[in-house]
Amino acid sequence: MDVRPDAPAAEASKPTLAAVELHGHLLRYGEVVREDDSRDNLRRLGTCEFDFDVVEAVFGDGVPANFDTVTEAVTGIFGQSNAPALNVAVHPPAITGFFSPLPESMPAADKHEQLRQEAALLADIGAAQSVRIRAVPVRSELITIEEEPEPHQWHHVLHIPEPVHARLTLMARALNMGTYELLDTTRAASNAVHALDGVALAGHGSDVPYTLVVGAYPDHVELSILHYGEWFHGHHGPVGDPNDAAYFAAALLDKIGLGTTDVGRFLLYGEEATPRKFRLLADLLDHQPELFNPLEIFGRTSPGATPEVLATYTPCIGALIA
């Protein structure tokens, strides 16, 4: 699928947003134009396929041989974009990420240092090495410590290895963009669902506060829980069979203190998003999966694309509107 309408001359000076999502041999891309009334108008959406692992080329160890090829392709896509940053969505297996609660009373500098140390531990990095992170607040929760409840802020943290930072910076500069923003695809997919909160979730009412969003891929499954349309938590794991998703979903719900009856909606996206393959999880939740269509965010349709193909663009579009 390639949605790439010609941009009118008057549109060229309007602010734009640009994003890519990487998985296997595929790079999905999207760009929107922000209109004067703050609406986002989809300018282009499509896929580039390579004969090498594009994730390894950008996020791999050592000196990836194909990074320049990826950069050339991205430059060819966004060459005329005036986006301030390139938003990059990466799937959880490719980068170290975690959730961590910290007291809301903790000074910002101390929070950053605490999260940096946690990232170093998880990524097995020595204390003397540089540790670069991206941390975003997710939700607040009262956590009892020594019998005293205290407000905590949950953060989602990504560790960005220095070689990856250098490559993404070079890619952004090649596009004349000031910087890049990195987010994992569980957060990106949640962004897309949140953007449709007033449409897709309307009418479900307050009796179904939690939504399970599942990303299905050949090598892994990724899961997000949303609370009234807001990202609440995420999880991922390797899969040998789609039914493995039921195990990881049960583990995620247990981890955050929820039961299957707390979930009122089950959304599905990804390269292996075939609803009939997720009967075990559907039975566990007592809800049938719904294929998510991110083009509805822009009021667009793509007659030539199947619902399964449209669902694959969920993380890319979620990163686009982050």
Side-chain angles (χ1 to χ4, degrees):
M1 186 179 72
D2 195 345
V3 178
R4 188 189 289 228
D6 294 331
E11 197 177 80
S13 61
K14 293 181 179 180
T16 61
L17 303 171
V20 295
E21 174 235 334
L22 316 174
H23 187 255
H25 291 234
L26 301 178
L27 181 150
R28 296 180 180 87
Y29 59 85
E31 183 181 28
V32 297
V33 178
R34 184 140 286 176
E35 303 292 348
D36 296 335
D37 58 3
S38 296
R39 286 185 302 110
D40 289 335
N41 182 30
L42 186 63
R43 174 186 281 180
R44 56 171 62 93
L45 185 72
T47 301
C48 288
E49 185 170 2
F50 299 86
D51 59 3
F52 54 84
D53 189 326
V54 68
V55 178
E56 181 67 23
V58 178
F59 291 90
D61 297 328
V63 183
N66 298 301
F67 173 70
D68 289 345
T69 302
V70 178
T71 301
E72 289 173 8
V74 173
T75 303
I77 295 166
F78 297 118
Q80 302 302 313
S81 175
N82 63 2
L86 178 66
N87 292 349
V88 180
V90 59
H91 291 267
I95 197 165
T96 299
F98 58 95
F99 287 84
S100 181
L102 294 177
E104 292 184 355
S105 60
M106 182 182 286
D110 293 347
K111 288 180 180 178
H112 182 83
E113 179 58 23
Q114 174 66 29
L115 296 174
R116 194 189 70 81
Q117 290 181 19
E118 291 183 31
L121 183 64
L122 288 171
D124 195 23
I125 298 174
Q129 292 181 264
S130 174
V131 181
R132 186 181 300 273
I133 62 172
R134 287 281 201 280
V136 294
V138 178
R139 59 184 168 91
S140 294
E141 180 182 355
L142 275 177
I143 297 179
T144 300
I145 299 176
E146 296 181 353
E147 300 183 357
E148 289 292 331
E150 182 177 357
H152 280 62
Q153 184 82 47
W154 281 86
H155 296 78
H156 183 254
V157 185
L158 292 178
H159 166 242
I160 308 175
E162 287 303 314
V164 173
H165 168 67
R167 290 177 210 132
L168 291 176
T169 299
L170 286 172
M171 186 178 291
R173 288 177 178 172
L175 294 164
N176 293 317
M177 296 180 186
T179 186
Y180 70 90
E181 293 295 335
L182 186 65
L183 64 164
D184 93 338
T185 47
T186 62
R187 177 185 165 203
S190 297
N191 286 346
V193 175
H194 173 76
L196 271 179
D197 181 65
V199 177
L201 301 182
H204 284 267
S206 59
D207 58 332
V208 286
Y210 293 98
T211 297
L212 176 65
V213 186
V214 175
Y217 292 86
D219 57 341
H220 76 281
V221 63
E222 50 196 51
L223 308 99
S224 297
I225 289 286
L226 280 73
H227 184 234
Y228 289 116
E230 300 285 349
W231 193 32
F232 193 83
H233 213 87
H235 188 42
H236 74 279
V239 293
D241 183 279
N243 286 328
D244 294 341
Y247 167 79
F248 290 113
L252 172 60
L253 293 171
D254 181 68
K255 183 176 183 178
I256 58 179
L258 297 178
T260 56
T261 57
D262 293 310
V263 177
R265 200 163 187 230
F266 172 16
L267 301 178
L268 193 60
Y269 69 91
E271 296 168 6
E272 298 290 326
T274 304
R276 62 178 173 77
K277 294 182 179 180
F278 291 85
R279 289 173 181 165
L280 183 61
L281 181 52
D283 290 344
L284 180 70
L285 300 173
D286 196 26
H287 289 288
Q288 293 303 309
E290 304 171 43
L291 281 172
F292 186 74
N293 179 4
L295 260 66
E296 291 181 10
I297 295 170
F298 310 105
R300 295 286 295 272
T301 59
S302 182
T306 66
E308 288 80 7
V309 168
L310 294 176
T312 65
Y313 284 90
T314 299
C316 181
I317 289 181
L320 188 58
I321 59 178

